[in-house]
Amino acid sequence: MSVRKTILGVAAAAVLVAAYAAIPRHADLRAFDPAEMARLETAMWRDYYDKRYVALFYHLYESTRTQFGFSPFRSLHVALSAAEAARAFQPTRSRREADGALPALVAYYREVATAAPVAFEVEEAARLELDWWQARREAVGPQDYGLTIARVTALTYGGSAEDAGIRRFGVARAEAMAYRDARGEGITDTDWAAIETQLVGAYRSLKASVAR
């Protein structure tokens, strides 16, 4: 094969890959599988606490691509924004410092909004998200910041924070986080398995409330 044909072949393949990545998909936040979301979220928590940001980005990408149906190109943007928000928030020690994560959270929710069943206020969702992130550091109990998780979930899905399934999702997810926090550096694989099991129940509750 001539050099010219090789170059043309590589160029054509690159164009096809780029086209595949950019082709719009019908993304839907309601399309997730509860067990798979629980597995991926558990993996993301482990990545975050181990400061493995490349792995965190990969699992964020996988969740948006496989669970919500975003295109590869848009999944890349969603994952980058989410990973940047987590990286910016992790070293902070005050709410003022934590606000540095807000621009990335706004960018994240702006992308997420394209797959939501209803339009919602992106800035409000980002602020609520940051509220419960910070609440965990201020000795707020999971029963309380779990309600904030329910509020941001209700906002993004167009539901009510008083809906039993959404409320149960928010509190159960917060309780799984509190379980992880209580174990600190001594957390084991068995503990992570228990967290994943709890998250499966949380996502099943959410699925039952938001499914079409």
Side-chain angles (χ1 to χ4, degrees), residues 14-16 20 69 77 115 133 163 169 171-172 202:
V15 169
L16 288 173
Y20 170 77
H77 279 265
W133 286 13
D163 176 89
F169 167 75
V171 173

Side-chain angles (χ1 to χ4, degrees), residues 29 37 41 44 60-61 63-64 68 70 74-86 101-115 120 122-123 125-127 129-130 132-133 152 156-157 173 203:
L29 295 183
M37 275 301 299
E41 183 155 10
M44 286 186 272
L60 284 163
Y61 175 88
S63 67
T64 56
F68 302 135
F70 284 103
R74 178 147 272 172
S75 293
L76 181 65
H77 279 265
V78 176
L80 284 171
S81 296
E84 175 57 24
L102 199 55
L105 278 174
V106 170
Y108 168 76
Y109 274 106
R110 186 172 291 119
E111 295 285 355
V112 166
T114 64
F120 65 86
V122 168
E123 290 79 8
R127 178 62 65 178
E129 184 80 12
L130 190 60
W132 72 257
W133 286 13
V152 71
T156 55
Y157 281 95
R173 193 162 171 245
Y203 276 102

Side-chain angles (χ1 to χ4, degrees), residues 95 126-136 148 151:
R95 181 55 193 257
R127 178 62 65 178
L128 285 170
E129 184 80 12
L130 190 60
D131 281 348
W132 72 257
W133 286 13
Q134 186 64 24
R136 293 181 62 202
T148 307
R151 287 175 62 197

Side-chain angles (χ1 to χ4, degrees), residues 185-202:
E185 297 298 322
I187 193 166
T188 66
D189 287 343
T190 300
D191 292 326
W192 282 116
I195 288 170
E196 183 174 340
T197 297
Q198 187 159 1
L199 288 175
V200 171

